[in-house]
Amino acid sequence: MIGLLSREQKEKYTEFGKFVQSNVQPFAWEWEINECIPREVIDKCAEAGYMGGILPEEFGGQGWDHLTYGVFTEVVAKASTSLSGLFNVHTMVMKSILKWGTEEQKQKWLPSMTQGKVLGALALTEPEAGSDIQGITTTFTETEDKIIINGTKRWITFGGLADVFIVFGKMNGQDEKATAVIVEKNAPGLNVVQIKNMIGFKASALAVLEFDNCEISKENVLAKPGFALSHIAPYALDYGRISVAFTALGIMRGCLEYCTSHVLKRKTFGEKLISHSTIKEMITKMGVDYEAAAHLCIHSCHDKENHHPSSAEKVIIAKYFTTKAARKHSDNAVQILGAMGCNESHPVARYYRDTKTLEIIEGSNQIIEMILGNSFARKYRSSEIKAGLGSK
Amino acid sequence: MDNKEKVRMFIEDNLIRYDEETIFSDEDNIFSMGFVNSLFAMKLLNYIESEFSITVDSDELELSNFSSVNNIISFLNKKAGTANNS
Protein backbone atom coordinates (compact mmCIF):
# COMPACT_ATOMS: atom_id res chain seq x y z
CA MET A 1 0.00 0.00 0.00
CA ILE A 2 2.59 2.53 1.14
CA GLY A 3 4.68 1.92 -1.97
CA LEU A 4 1.76 2.99 -4.15
CA LEU A 5 1.45 6.45 -2.56
CA SER A 6 2.95 9.77 -3.63
CA ARG A 7 5.59 11.41 -1.43
CA GLU A 8 3.00 13.74 0.09
CA GLN A 9 0.62 10.88 0.76
CA LYS A 10 3.41 8.86 2.40
CA GLU A 11 4.14 11.81 4.68
CA LYS A 12 0.48 12.03 5.63
CA TYR A 13 0.43 8.27 6.23
CA THR A 14 3.26 8.67 8.72
CA GLU A 15 1.58 11.67 10.35
CA PHE A 16 -1.74 9.83 10.68
CA GLY A 17 0.04 6.82 12.14
CA LYS A 18 1.69 8.89 14.88
CA PHE A 19 -1.60 10.58 15.74
CA VAL A 20 -3.44 7.29 15.96
CA GLN A 21 -0.70 5.66 18.01
CA SER A 22 -0.95 8.44 20.62
CA ASN A 23 -4.64 9.29 20.61
CA VAL A 24 -6.59 6.28 19.37
CA GLN A 25 -4.83 2.95 19.74
CA PRO A 26 -4.43 2.99 23.55
CA PHE A 27 -8.07 3.88 24.16
CA ALA A 28 -10.01 2.07 21.42
CA TRP A 29 -10.89 -0.93 23.62
CA GLU A 30 -12.25 1.35 26.36
CA TRP A 31 -14.48 3.11 23.83
CA GLU A 32 -15.85 -0.24 22.70
CA ILE A 33 -16.71 -1.22 26.28
CA ASN A 34 -18.38 2.13 26.96
CA GLU A 35 -20.04 2.12 23.51
CA CYS A 36 -19.06 5.76 23.11
CA ILE A 37 -16.28 7.87 21.67
CA PRO A 38 -15.42 10.68 24.10
CA ARG A 39 -15.82 14.26 22.95
CA GLU A 40 -12.19 15.10 23.80
CA VAL A 41 -10.96 12.64 21.16
CA ILE A 42 -13.06 14.35 18.55
CA ASP A 43 -11.65 17.68 19.70
CA LYS A 44 -8.12 16.34 19.21
CA CYS A 45 -9.05 15.17 15.70
CA ALA A 46 -10.44 18.64 15.03
CA GLU A 47 -7.27 20.34 16.33
CA ALA A 48 -5.23 18.20 13.94
CA GLY A 49 -7.50 19.31 11.07
CA TYR A 50 -8.91 15.84 10.47
CA MET A 51 -12.64 16.54 10.83
CA GLY A 52 -12.79 18.24 7.44
CA GLY A 53 -9.73 16.74 5.80
CA ILE A 54 -11.33 16.20 2.41
CA LEU A 55 -13.18 19.56 2.35
CA PRO A 56 -11.75 22.57 0.49
CA GLU A 57 -9.65 25.05 2.44
CA GLU A 58 -12.23 27.81 1.86
CA PHE A 59 -14.52 26.00 4.30
CA GLY A 60 -11.79 25.19 6.79
CA GLY A 61 -10.84 21.82 5.31
CA GLN A 62 -7.42 20.50 4.36
CA GLY A 63 -8.12 19.92 0.68
CA TRP A 64 -7.04 16.28 0.82
CA ASP A 65 -7.43 14.23 -2.33
CA HIS A 66 -9.60 11.11 -2.16
CA LEU A 67 -6.66 8.78 -1.65
CA THR A 68 -5.34 10.77 1.30
CA TYR A 69 -8.82 10.52 2.84
CA GLY A 70 -8.72 6.78 2.17
CA VAL A 71 -5.28 6.38 3.70
CA PHE A 72 -6.44 8.32 6.75
CA THR A 73 -9.41 5.98 7.08
CA GLU A 74 -7.17 2.91 6.76
CA VAL A 75 -4.84 4.10 9.51
CA VAL A 76 -7.69 5.05 11.87
CA ALA A 77 -9.66 1.86 11.20
CA LYS A 78 -6.73 -0.37 12.06
CA ALA A 79 -6.97 1.05 15.59
CA SER A 80 -10.68 1.86 15.83
CA THR A 81 -13.31 1.03 13.24
CA SER A 82 -15.82 2.98 15.32
CA LEU A 83 -13.80 6.18 14.94
CA SER A 84 -13.44 5.57 11.20
CA GLY A 85 -17.24 5.34 11.17
CA LEU A 86 -17.47 8.83 12.63
CA PHE A 87 -15.35 10.26 9.81
CA ASN A 88 -17.42 8.28 7.34
CA VAL A 89 -20.83 9.73 8.26
CA HIS A 90 -19.48 13.20 9.02
CA THR A 91 -17.81 13.29 5.59
CA MET A 92 -20.93 12.03 3.80
CA VAL A 93 -22.91 14.92 5.27
CA MET A 94 -20.27 17.55 4.56
CA LYS A 95 -19.71 16.40 0.98
CA SER A 96 -23.47 16.32 0.34
CA ILE A 97 -23.89 19.89 1.55
CA LEU A 98 -20.83 20.96 -0.45
CA LYS A 99 -22.18 19.37 -3.63
CA TRP A 100 -25.90 20.05 -3.37
CA GLY A 101 -26.31 22.83 -0.80
CA THR A 102 -27.06 26.49 -1.39
CA GLU A 103 -24.33 29.02 -0.67
CA GLU A 104 -26.15 29.90 2.57
CA GLN A 105 -26.28 26.25 3.64
CA LYS A 106 -22.58 25.80 2.90
CA GLN A 107 -21.61 28.90 4.87
CA LYS A 108 -23.90 27.98 7.75
CA TRP A 109 -22.73 24.39 8.22
CA LEU A 110 -19.40 23.58 6.63
CA PRO A 111 -16.99 25.79 8.63
CA SER A 112 -18.36 24.54 11.95
CA MET A 113 -18.29 20.94 10.70
CA THR A 114 -14.69 21.09 9.51
CA GLN A 115 -13.80 22.50 12.94
CA GLY A 116 -15.56 19.59 14.59
CA LYS A 117 -17.92 21.90 16.47
CA VAL A 118 -20.87 20.34 14.68
CA LEU A 119 -21.01 16.62 13.89
CA GLY A 120 -23.10 15.27 11.04
CA ALA A 121 -24.93 11.99 10.44
CA LEU A 122 -26.88 10.62 7.50
CA ALA A 123 -30.44 9.53 8.26
CA LEU A 124 -31.54 7.29 5.41
CA THR A 125 -32.29 3.82 6.79
CA GLU A 126 -35.71 3.05 8.28
CA PRO A 127 -37.15 0.08 10.17
CA GLU A 128 -38.66 -1.23 6.92
CA ALA A 129 -36.19 0.16 4.36
CA GLY A 130 -32.45 -0.50 4.30
CA SER A 131 -30.63 -1.22 1.06
CA ASP A 132 -33.94 -0.74 -0.79
CA ILE A 133 -33.92 3.00 -0.25
CA GLN A 134 -36.91 3.57 -2.51
CA GLY A 135 -39.00 1.99 0.25
CA ILE A 136 -38.58 4.80 2.77
CA THR A 137 -41.84 6.12 4.18
CA THR A 138 -40.77 9.21 6.13
CA THR A 139 -42.94 12.09 4.96
CA PHE A 140 -42.26 15.79 4.61
CA THR A 141 -45.35 18.00 4.55
CA GLU A 142 -45.07 21.56 3.30
CA THR A 143 -46.72 24.46 5.08
CA GLU A 144 -46.30 28.12 4.17
CA ASP A 145 -42.79 28.43 5.59
CA LYS A 146 -42.08 25.08 7.26
CA ILE A 147 -41.55 21.42 6.53
CA ILE A 148 -43.21 18.99 8.95
CA ILE A 149 -41.42 15.64 9.26
CA ASN A 150 -43.06 12.40 10.36
CA GLY A 151 -41.44 8.97 10.43
CA THR A 152 -38.68 6.91 11.99
CA LYS A 153 -35.04 6.43 11.04
CA ARG A 154 -33.10 3.51 12.50
CA TRP A 155 -29.50 2.27 12.68
CA ILE A 156 -28.22 5.80 12.18
CA THR A 157 -24.46 5.69 12.72
CA PHE A 158 -23.41 8.35 15.24
CA GLY A 159 -27.04 9.43 15.44
CA GLY A 160 -26.56 9.53 19.20
CA LEU A 161 -23.73 12.04 18.96
CA ALA A 162 -24.52 14.09 15.86
CA ASP A 163 -25.65 17.70 15.98
CA VAL A 164 -27.13 17.79 12.50
CA PHE A 165 -28.67 15.20 10.18
CA ILE A 166 -29.40 14.91 6.51
CA VAL A 167 -32.79 13.21 6.58
CA PHE A 168 -34.38 11.52 3.55
CA GLY A 169 -38.12 11.36 2.99
CA LYS A 170 -40.87 11.98 0.48
CA MET A 171 -42.39 15.41 0.02
CA ASN A 172 -46.12 15.23 0.68
CA GLY A 173 -45.78 11.44 0.57
CA GLN A 174 -45.18 11.40 -3.18
CA ASP A 175 -42.76 8.71 -4.42
CA GLU A 176 -41.52 10.96 -7.21
CA LYS A 177 -40.71 13.74 -4.73
CA ALA A 178 -37.98 12.06 -2.67
CA THR A 179 -36.28 14.86 -0.78
CA ALA A 180 -33.38 15.46 1.58
CA VAL A 181 -33.49 18.02 4.38
CA ILE A 182 -31.05 19.27 7.00
CA VAL A 183 -32.33 18.78 10.55
CA GLU A 184 -30.70 19.98 13.76
CA LYS A 185 -30.80 17.60 16.71
CA ASN A 186 -32.76 20.08 18.83
CA ALA A 187 -35.49 20.57 16.23
CA PRO A 188 -38.91 20.45 17.93
CA GLY A 189 -40.49 17.02 17.45
CA LEU A 190 -37.23 15.07 17.04
CA ASN A 191 -36.42 12.41 19.62
CA VAL A 192 -33.07 10.56 19.49
CA VAL A 193 -32.77 7.16 21.18
CA GLN A 194 -29.36 5.48 21.28
CA ILE A 195 -29.08 1.82 20.27
CA LYS A 196 -26.82 -0.44 22.34
CA ASN A 197 -25.36 -3.94 21.99
CA MET A 198 -24.39 -3.93 18.33
CA ILE A 199 -22.17 -6.81 17.19
CA GLY A 200 -19.61 -4.45 15.65
CA PHE A 201 -18.72 -0.75 15.55
CA LYS A 202 -19.76 -0.76 19.18
CA ALA A 203 -18.68 2.81 19.88
CA SER A 204 -20.51 4.24 16.88
CA ALA A 205 -23.44 5.65 18.87
CA LEU A 206 -26.12 4.19 16.59
CA ALA A 207 -29.52 5.68 17.17
CA VAL A 208 -33.19 5.71 16.30
CA LEU A 209 -34.51 9.09 15.20
CA GLU A 210 -38.22 9.56 15.87
CA PHE A 211 -39.86 12.43 14.01
CA ASP A 212 -43.25 13.39 15.40
CA ASN A 213 -44.49 16.50 13.59
CA CYS A 214 -40.89 17.72 13.66
CA GLU A 215 -40.69 21.27 12.32
CA ILE A 216 -37.87 22.69 10.24
CA SER A 217 -37.50 25.74 8.04
CA LYS A 218 -38.05 25.41 4.29
CA GLU A 219 -34.56 26.82 3.90
CA ASN A 220 -33.26 23.45 5.12
CA VAL A 221 -34.31 21.56 2.00
CA LEU A 222 -31.18 20.23 0.28
CA ALA A 223 -31.42 20.55 -3.50
CA LYS A 224 -34.71 20.12 -5.33
CA PRO A 225 -37.37 17.64 -4.28
CA GLY A 226 -37.32 14.59 -6.54
CA PHE A 227 -33.56 13.96 -6.57
CA ALA A 228 -32.78 12.75 -3.08
CA LEU A 229 -32.71 9.04 -3.89
CA SER A 230 -31.38 9.28 -7.44
CA HIS A 231 -28.56 11.77 -6.79
CA ILE A 232 -28.05 12.95 -3.20
CA ALA A 233 -28.08 9.56 -1.46
CA PRO A 234 -25.94 7.79 -4.11
CA TYR A 235 -23.47 10.69 -4.02
CA ALA A 236 -23.19 10.45 -0.23
CA LEU A 237 -23.01 6.65 -0.26
CA ASP A 238 -20.21 6.80 -2.80
CA TYR A 239 -18.09 8.48 -0.13
CA GLY A 240 -19.42 6.05 2.43
CA ARG A 241 -18.23 3.12 0.33
CA ILE A 242 -14.77 4.64 -0.07
CA SER A 243 -14.63 4.87 3.69
CA VAL A 244 -15.91 1.31 4.19
CA ALA A 245 -13.45 -0.09 1.65
CA PHE A 246 -10.50 1.60 3.34
CA THR A 247 -11.82 0.60 6.75
CA ALA A 248 -11.73 -3.02 5.61
CA LEU A 249 -8.24 -2.41 4.24
CA GLY A 250 -7.14 -1.10 7.64
CA ILE A 251 -8.54 -4.22 9.28
CA MET A 252 -6.62 -6.44 6.86
CA ARG A 253 -3.48 -4.48 7.57
CA GLY A 254 -4.07 -4.98 11.29
CA CYS A 255 -4.67 -8.71 10.78
CA LEU A 256 -1.40 -8.97 8.89
CA GLU A 257 0.59 -7.09 11.51
CA TYR A 258 -0.77 -9.00 14.51
CA CYS A 259 -0.59 -12.37 12.76
CA THR A 260 2.90 -12.01 11.32
CA SER A 261 4.27 -10.86 14.68
CA HIS A 262 2.69 -13.89 16.30
CA VAL A 263 3.73 -16.55 13.78
CA LEU A 264 7.35 -15.36 13.83
CA LYS A 265 7.53 -15.66 17.65
CA ARG A 266 5.22 -18.47 18.67
CA LYS A 267 6.54 -22.02 18.44
CA THR A 268 4.74 -25.37 18.21
CA PHE A 269 6.46 -28.71 18.07
CA GLY A 270 9.81 -26.92 18.27
CA GLU A 271 9.22 -24.76 15.21
CA LYS A 272 7.92 -21.28 14.64
CA LEU A 273 4.33 -21.20 13.45
CA ILE A 274 5.38 -19.70 10.12
CA SER A 275 7.23 -22.95 9.38
CA HIS A 276 3.91 -24.81 9.06
CA SER A 277 2.48 -24.88 5.56
CA THR A 278 -1.10 -24.27 6.71
CA ILE A 279 -0.03 -21.07 8.46
CA LYS A 280 2.02 -20.00 5.44
CA GLU A 281 -1.05 -20.45 3.28
CA MET A 282 -3.19 -18.26 5.54
CA ILE A 283 -0.55 -15.52 5.69
CA THR A 284 0.01 -15.69 1.93
CA LYS A 285 -3.68 -15.31 1.14
CA MET A 286 -3.99 -12.50 3.67
CA GLY A 287 -1.05 -10.60 2.16
CA VAL A 288 -2.11 -11.15 -1.44
CA ASP A 289 -5.68 -10.02 -0.74
CA TYR A 290 -4.39 -6.96 1.12
CA GLU A 291 -2.23 -5.98 -1.87
CA ALA A 292 -5.05 -6.65 -4.34
CA ALA A 293 -7.54 -4.72 -2.22
CA ALA A 294 -5.13 -1.79 -1.90
CA HIS A 295 -4.84 -1.60 -5.68
CA LEU A 296 -8.63 -1.63 -6.10
CA CYS A 297 -9.07 1.05 -3.43
CA ILE A 298 -6.37 3.28 -4.89
CA HIS A 299 -7.65 2.82 -8.42
CA SER A 300 -11.18 3.78 -7.35
CA CYS A 301 -9.83 6.94 -5.68
CA HIS A 302 -7.92 7.94 -8.80
CA ASP A 303 -11.08 7.53 -10.89
CA LYS A 304 -13.06 9.50 -8.32
CA GLU A 305 -10.43 12.24 -8.34
CA ASN A 306 -10.75 12.49 -12.12
CA HIS A 307 -14.58 12.43 -12.09
CA HIS A 308 -14.53 9.32 -14.24
CA PRO A 309 -18.09 8.11 -14.98
CA SER A 310 -17.22 4.60 -13.84
CA SER A 311 -15.80 5.75 -10.51
CA ALA A 312 -18.96 4.81 -8.59
CA GLU A 313 -18.72 1.28 -9.97
CA LYS A 314 -15.00 1.09 -9.15
CA VAL A 315 -15.76 2.18 -5.58
CA ILE A 316 -18.43 -0.53 -5.30
CA ILE A 317 -16.00 -3.15 -6.59
CA ALA A 318 -13.41 -2.02 -4.03
CA LYS A 319 -15.99 -2.10 -1.23
CA TYR A 320 -17.20 -5.55 -2.21
CA PHE A 321 -13.79 -7.18 -2.59
CA THR A 322 -12.20 -5.55 0.43
CA THR A 323 -15.01 -6.21 2.90
CA LYS A 324 -15.31 -9.85 1.84
CA ALA A 325 -11.55 -10.31 2.09
CA ALA A 326 -11.42 -8.60 5.49
CA ARG A 327 -14.21 -10.88 6.72
CA LYS A 328 -12.31 -13.99 5.65
CA HIS A 329 -8.94 -12.87 6.98
CA SER A 330 -10.21 -11.60 10.32
CA ASP A 331 -11.62 -15.10 10.76
CA ASN A 332 -8.18 -16.55 9.96
CA ALA A 333 -6.49 -14.02 12.23
CA VAL A 334 -8.55 -15.26 15.18
CA GLN A 335 -7.65 -18.82 14.17
CA ILE A 336 -3.93 -18.02 14.05
CA LEU A 337 -3.93 -16.19 17.38
CA GLY A 338 -5.96 -18.92 19.06
CA ALA A 339 -7.39 -18.20 22.50
CA MET A 340 -5.73 -14.76 22.51
CA GLY A 341 -7.73 -13.84 19.40
CA CYS A 342 -10.92 -15.06 21.03
CA ASN A 343 -10.59 -12.54 23.83
CA GLU A 344 -12.65 -9.40 23.26
CA SER A 345 -9.78 -7.18 24.36
CA HIS A 346 -7.61 -8.20 21.39
CA PRO A 347 -8.00 -6.11 18.24
CA VAL A 348 -8.46 -9.16 15.99
CA ALA A 349 -11.55 -10.13 18.01
CA ARG A 350 -12.91 -6.69 17.24
CA TYR A 351 -11.95 -7.07 13.58
CA TYR A 352 -13.85 -10.36 13.50
CA ARG A 353 -17.02 -8.64 14.74
CA ASP A 354 -16.64 -5.43 12.78
CA THR A 355 -16.10 -7.11 9.41
CA LYS A 356 -19.57 -8.66 9.59
CA THR A 357 -20.96 -5.15 9.85
CA LEU A 358 -18.82 -3.99 6.92
CA GLU A 359 -20.48 -6.54 4.65
CA ILE A 360 -23.86 -5.00 5.45
CA ILE A 361 -23.43 -1.24 5.59
CA GLU A 362 -23.43 1.25 2.67
CA GLY A 363 -25.27 -1.27 0.48
CA SER A 364 -25.08 -4.92 1.52
CA ASN A 365 -22.79 -7.13 -0.51
CA GLN A 366 -25.87 -8.95 -1.81
CA ILE A 367 -27.25 -5.69 -3.22
CA ILE A 368 -23.84 -5.04 -4.76
CA GLU A 369 -24.00 -8.47 -6.44
CA MET A 370 -27.34 -7.47 -7.96
CA ILE A 371 -25.77 -4.31 -9.38
CA LEU A 372 -22.42 -5.69 -10.48
CA GLY A 373 -23.83 -8.96 -11.78
CA ASN A 374 -26.07 -7.08 -14.20
CA SER A 375 -23.38 -4.58 -15.07
CA PHE A 376 -20.66 -7.14 -15.79
CA ALA A 377 -23.01 -9.39 -17.76
CA ARG A 378 -23.95 -6.50 -19.98
CA LYS A 379 -20.53 -4.87 -20.22
CA TYR A 380 -18.41 -7.86 -21.14
CA ARG A 381 -21.00 -9.41 -23.45
CA SER A 382 -21.31 -6.06 -25.16
CA SER A 383 -17.53 -5.76 -25.54
CA GLU A 384 -17.36 -9.20 -27.08
CA ILE A 385 -20.00 -8.38 -29.66
CA LYS A 386 -18.49 -5.01 -30.45
CA ALA A 387 -15.17 -6.70 -31.03
CA GLY A 388 -16.86 -9.10 -33.42
CA LEU A 389 -15.86 -12.09 -31.31
CA GLY A 390 -19.24 -13.39 -30.28
CA SER A 391 -22.57 -14.25 -31.77
CA LYS A 392 -25.92 -12.94 -30.66
CA MET B 1 -18.43 11.40 -33.26
CA ASP B 2 -20.90 14.19 -32.41
CA ASN B 3 -22.31 14.83 -28.95
CA LYS B 4 -25.54 12.98 -29.64
CA GLU B 5 -23.65 9.85 -30.69
CA LYS B 6 -21.41 10.11 -27.64
CA VAL B 7 -24.36 10.42 -25.25
CA ARG B 8 -26.25 7.62 -26.96
CA MET B 9 -23.24 5.31 -26.79
CA PHE B 10 -22.75 6.07 -23.09
CA ILE B 11 -26.38 5.21 -22.37
CA GLU B 12 -26.22 2.01 -24.46
CA ASP B 13 -23.10 0.94 -22.58
CA ASN B 14 -24.86 1.41 -19.26
CA LEU B 15 -28.20 -0.28 -19.90
CA ILE B 16 -29.02 -3.11 -17.55
CA ARG B 17 -30.92 -5.04 -20.23
CA TYR B 18 -29.20 -8.15 -21.59
CA ASP B 19 -31.09 -8.05 -24.86
CA GLU B 20 -28.74 -6.77 -27.56
CA GLU B 21 -31.74 -5.67 -29.59
CA THR B 22 -32.96 -3.28 -26.91
CA ILE B 23 -34.12 -0.24 -28.81
CA PHE B 24 -34.86 3.24 -27.57
CA SER B 25 -35.33 6.40 -29.56
CA ASP B 26 -33.64 9.71 -28.89
CA GLU B 27 -36.96 10.88 -27.43
CA ASP B 28 -37.59 7.92 -25.12
CA ASN B 29 -37.44 8.46 -21.36
CA ILE B 30 -34.70 6.01 -20.40
CA PHE B 31 -35.56 6.22 -16.69
CA SER B 32 -39.25 5.38 -17.02
CA MET B 33 -38.48 2.51 -19.44
CA GLY B 34 -36.59 0.75 -16.62
CA PHE B 35 -33.41 0.34 -18.67
CA VAL B 36 -31.04 1.69 -16.01
CA ASN B 37 -30.07 0.87 -12.43
CA SER B 38 -29.71 2.93 -9.27
CA LEU B 39 -26.15 3.93 -10.11
CA PHE B 40 -27.03 5.26 -13.51
CA ALA B 41 -28.18 8.76 -12.55
CA MET B 42 -24.89 9.49 -10.82
CA LYS B 43 -22.85 7.86 -13.59
CA LEU B 44 -24.66 9.99 -16.15
CA LEU B 45 -24.00 13.12 -14.11
CA ASN B 46 -20.29 12.25 -13.80
CA TYR B 47 -20.17 11.47 -17.50
CA ILE B 48 -21.78 14.74 -18.56
CA GLU B 49 -19.55 16.78 -16.25
CA SER B 50 -16.30 15.08 -17.26
CA GLU B 51 -16.94 14.50 -20.97
CA PHE B 52 -18.27 17.99 -21.67
CA SER B 53 -16.26 19.87 -19.02
CA ILE B 54 -19.27 21.43 -17.31
CA THR B 55 -20.64 21.49 -13.78
CA VAL B 56 -24.29 20.63 -13.24
CA ASP B 57 -25.50 22.96 -10.54
CA SER B 58 -28.01 21.96 -7.91
CA ASP B 59 -30.69 24.18 -9.44
CA GLU B 60 -30.22 22.49 -12.82
CA LEU B 61 -31.32 19.16 -11.39
CA GLU B 62 -34.43 18.59 -13.46
CA LEU B 63 -35.48 15.18 -14.71
CA SER B 64 -36.37 16.81 -18.00
CA ASN B 65 -32.70 17.71 -18.51
CA PHE B 66 -31.51 14.10 -18.37
CA SER B 67 -34.41 11.82 -19.26
CA SER B 68 -33.67 11.26 -22.96
CA VAL B 69 -30.84 11.61 -25.45
CA ASN B 70 -32.46 14.68 -26.99
CA ASN B 71 -33.08 16.31 -23.62
CA ILE B 72 -29.46 15.81 -22.59
CA ILE B 73 -28.29 17.37 -25.85
CA SER B 74 -30.66 20.33 -25.36
CA PHE B 75 -29.28 20.78 -21.85
CA LEU B 76 -25.69 20.66 -23.11
CA ASN B 77 -26.52 23.19 -25.79
CA LYS B 78 -28.12 25.47 -23.23
CA LYS B 79 -25.06 25.20 -21.00
CA ALA B 80 -22.83 26.02 -23.93
CA GLY B 81 -25.08 28.91 -24.87
CA THR B 82 -25.64 27.44 -28.31
CA ALA B 83 -29.25 26.37 -27.99
CA ASN B 84 -30.32 28.66 -30.79
CA ASN B 85 -27.66 27.40 -33.17
CA SER B 86 -28.22 23.66 -32.81
Side-chain angles (χ1 to χ4, degrees), chain A residues 179-198:
Chain A
T179 304
V181 297
I182 301 170
V183 182
E184 294 178 62
K185 73 173 176 188
N186 57 2
L190 168 59
N191 185 37
V192 179
V193 182
Q194 193 156 336
I195 301 169
K196 298 278 188 180
N197 301 317
M198 298 303 291

Side-chain angles (χ1 to χ4, degrees), chain A residues 15-16 19-20 22-24 31 37-53 60 62 64 72 76 80 82-84 86-87 90 113-117 119:
Chain A
E15 176 197 314
F16 299 151
F19 179 87
V20 166
S22 302
N23 300 294
V24 181
W31 302 343
I37 290 178
R39 182 70 223 188
E40 50 268 33
V41 179
I42 297 165
D43 291 341
K44 281 184 183 169
C45 293
E47 281 168 29
Y50 297 158
M51 295 310 295
Q62 303 290 314
W64 293 347
F72 174 71
V76 170
S80 169
S82 292
L83 185 59
S84 74
L86 172 67
F87 291 107
H90 188 63
M113 294 184 82
T114 56
Q115 291 169 36
K117 292 176 183 169
L119 299 178

Side-chain angles (χ1 to χ4, degrees), chain A residues 77-152:
Chain A
K78 192 176 76 175
S80 169
T81 33
S82 292
L83 185 59
S84 74
L86 172 67
F87 291 107
N88 177 10
V89 296
H90 188 63
T91 298
M92 282 198 283
V93 171
M94 288 190 298
K95 291 296 281 188
S96 297
I97 293 174
L98 182 69
K99 173 71 179 172
W100 307 109
T102 62
E103 198 51 41
E104 291 72 23
Q105 288 169 340
K106 291 177 197 176
Q107 293 300 338
K108 180 175 181 182
W109 296 110
L110 295 182
S112 52
M113 294 184 82
T114 56
Q115 291 169 36
K117 292 176 183 169
V118 169
L119 299 178
L122 199 76
L124 179 59
T125 304
E126 298 184 356
E128 300 300 328
S131 293
D132 176 16
I133 58 175
Q134 302 291 338
I136 60 170
T137 57
T138 294
T139 58
F140 303 149
T141 306
E142 285 180 281
T143 66
E144 195 173 327
D145 58 344
K146 303 271 184 202
I147 303 286
I148 311 296
I149 310 172
N150 279 292
T152 303

Side-chain angles (χ1 to χ4, degrees), chain A residues 99-101 222-224 226-227 229-232 234-235 238 241 304 306-313 316 371 373-375 377-379 381-382 385-386 392, chain B residues 9-10 12-22 31 37-39 41-50 55-64 66:
Chain A
K99 173 71 179 172
W100 307 109
L222 188 62
K224 290 183 179 176
F227 293 88
L229 300 182
S230 61
H231 289 79
I232 299 173
Y235 183 82
D238 202 28
R241 290 184 188 118
K304 183 95 181 139
N306 295 318
H307 306 287
H308 196 284
S310 69
S311 66
E313 195 164 288
I316 284 183
I371 295 170
N374 280 332
S375 176
R378 170 75 196 182
K379 184 161 70 176
R381 172 70 174 158
S382 171
I385 286 176
K386 278 179 190 162
K392 292 178 184 178
Chain B
M9 183 175 282
F10 174 81
E12 285 174 351
D13 284 346
N14 285 281
L15 297 178
I16 56 167
R17 299 289 288 264
Y18 303 125
D19 182 4
E20 300 299 337
E21 303 299 331
T22 297
F31 290 93
N37 66 17
S38 59
L39 279 185
M42 275 307 301
K43 281 172 94 168
L44 179 62
L45 191 67
N46 278 340
Y47 170 73
I48 288 171
E49 291 189 332
S50 62
T55 300
V56 177
D57 296 325
S58 198
D59 59 6
E60 291 169 328
L61 275 181
E62 294 285 354
L63 268 183
S64 58
F66 307 106

Side-chain angles (χ1 to χ4, degrees), chain A residues 89-356:
Chain A
V89 296
H90 188 63
T91 298
M92 282 198 283
V93 171
M94 288 190 298
K95 291 296 281 188
S96 297
I97 293 174
L98 182 69
K99 173 71 179 172
W100 307 109
T102 62
E103 198 51 41
E104 291 72 23
Q105 288 169 340
K106 291 177 197 176
Q107 293 300 338
K108 180 175 181 182
W109 296 110
L110 295 182
S112 52
M113 294 184 82
T114 56
Q115 291 169 36
K117 292 176 183 169
V118 169
L119 299 178
L122 199 76
L124 179 59
T125 304
E126 298 184 356
E128 300 300 328
S131 293
D132 176 16
I133 58 175
Q134 302 291 338
I136 60 170
T137 57
T138 294
T139 58
F140 303 149
T141 306
E142 285 180 281
T143 66
E144 195 173 327
D145 58 344
K146 303 271 184 202
I147 303 286
I148 311 296
I149 310 172
N150 279 292
T152 303
K153 297 292 177 181
R154 188 177 286 180
W155 315 121
I156 306 307
T157 303
F158 282 99
L161 204 61
D163 305 290
V164 64
F165 304 94
I166 291 181
V167 181
F168 293 80
K170 290 175 179 171
M171 192 63 81
N172 303 320
Q174 295 173 274
D175 283 341
E176 66 278 16
K177 292 276 185 184
T179 304
V181 297
I182 301 170
V183 182
E184 294 178 62
K185 73 173 176 188
N186 57 2
L190 168 59
N191 185 37
V192 179
V193 182
Q194 193 156 336
I195 301 169
K196 298 278 188 180
N197 301 317
M198 298 303 291
I199 188 175
F201 286 76
K202 281 179 170 290
S204 294
L206 265 70
V208 176
L209 311 185
E210 298 166 340
F211 297 92
D212 181 11
N213 288 318
C214 174
E215 276 189 20
I216 59 165
S217 163
K218 270 189 171 176
E219 292 171 359
N220 289 18
V221 173
L222 188 62
K224 290 183 179 176
F227 293 88
L229 300 182
S230 61
H231 289 79
I232 299 173
Y235 183 82
L237 291 171
D238 202 28
Y239 282 94
R241 290 184 188 118
I242 290 174
S243 178
V244 168
F246 277 93
T247 294
L249 198 64
I251 285 177
M252 272 202 280
R253 176 83 189 194
C255 287
L256 271 169
E257 291 181 5
Y258 288 113
C259 288
T260 51
S261 296
H262 184 68
V263 300
L264 289 170
K265 277 190 274 186
R266 175 81 176 218
K267 287 184 176 177
T268 53
F269 311 110
E271 287 187 286
K272 288 178 180 172
L273 279 182
I274 191 64
S275 303
H276 302 297
S277 60
T278 51
I279 298 294
K280 275 192 178 70
E281 184 180 347
M282 280 195 270
I283 297 293
T284 299
K285 288 177 175 174
M286 203 180 278
V288 168
D289 277 353
Y290 173 74
E291 295 284 344
H295 276 84
L296 286 174
C297 288
I298 290 171
H299 186 46
S300 68
C301 284
H302 286 158
D303 271 8
K304 183 95 181 139
E305 202 66 39
N306 295 318
H307 306 287
H308 196 284
S310 69
S311 66
E313 195 164 288
K314 295 285 170 55
V315 170
I316 284 183
I317 292 169
K319 188 269 182 184
Y320 181 76
F321 181 89
T322 310
T323 56
K324 282 178 77 75
R327 179 83 195 120
K328 182 169 68 182
H329 297 304
S330 63
D331 186 306
N332 283 341
V334 171
Q335 193 71 23
I336 288 169
L337 286 159
M340 204 160 47
C342 292
N343 190 288
E344 285 267 7
S345 65
H346 198 287
V348 300
R350 192 176 73 239
Y351 295 159
Y352 182 76
R353 290 187 283 98
D354 288 339
T355 50
K356 187 66 246 172

